[in-house]
Amino acid sequence: MMYQRKIPIDYSCGLSIAMEVVGSKWKFCILDEISKGATRPRDLVKEINGISKRVLQNQLKELEMHDLLGKIVYSEVPLRVEYYLTPAGETLMPLIAAVNKWGEGYAPRLKEILEGEPTTVPV
């Protein structure tokens, strides 16, 4: 049986759609690493600090379902799987780059807020 949503998606709200498709702790990181050339799950686990194999597999499955990633399965022993950005996934890269730049700029302020250490970089 397919999962039934309790709250229907508001297809008229772009933010709701975006959060439905890429709203998670890991999806931007996964897409970013794949755009940099990490295509195999074991490489992604190595590059993305703190993600578990199980969570990565779930996130990859969702990104593939939403047509942001494609998958190539090689019939080798052991089985080899590689992921790639689809054209729809490529359209997210400028947004991911902008969010990354903002996050890097905000990092000192967040550290000050969470750890109580004053920063020298005004935000």
Side-chain angles (χ1 to χ4, degrees):
M1 185 169 106
M2 188 170 226
Y3 171 74
Q4 294 288 321
R5 293 182 59 85
K6 291 186 174 93
I7 301 170
I9 297 171
D10 180 358
Y11 291 103
S12 66
C13 177
L15 291 173
S16 292
I17 300 302
M19 293 308 293
E20 174 69 23
V21 175
V22 292
S24 84
K25 180 177 180 177
W26 303 110
K27 287 181 181 170
F28 273 12
C29 296
I30 293 167
L31 292 167
D32 188 48
E33 289 301 329
I34 290 173
S35 78
K36 293 175 186 173
T39 60
R40 299 177 71 185
R42 73 162 187 219
D43 298 331
L44 292 166
V45 167
K46 192 170 22 172
E47 293 297 324
I48 302 170
N49 190 18
I51 195 167
S52 70
K53 288 179 185 179
R54 183 177 156 276
V55 169
L56 175 65
Q57 287 301 326
N58 288 338
Q59 299 292 288
L60 287 168
K61 192 184 312 178
E62 288 179 19
L63 288 166
E64 190 180 1
M65 180 188 76
H66 287 118
D67 192 36
L68 298 179
L69 290 181
K71 176 170 73 171
I72 302 169
V73 179
Y74 297 91
S75 55
E76 301 172 356
V77 177
L79 192 66
R80 180 168 55 116
V81 176
E82 293 182 352
Y83 290 88
Y84 61 91
L85 293 175
T86 63
E90 291 281 352
T91 66
L92 275 171
M93 296 320 298
L95 174 62
I96 290 171
V99 170
N100 184 54
K101 184 176 180 182
W102 180 88
E104 288 171 348
Y106 193 74
R109 178 71 180 124
L110 183 62
K111 185 173 183 173
E112 178 182 297
I113 291 166
L114 298 178
E115 299 177 15
E117 298 176 15
T119 61
T120 57
V121 180
V123 176

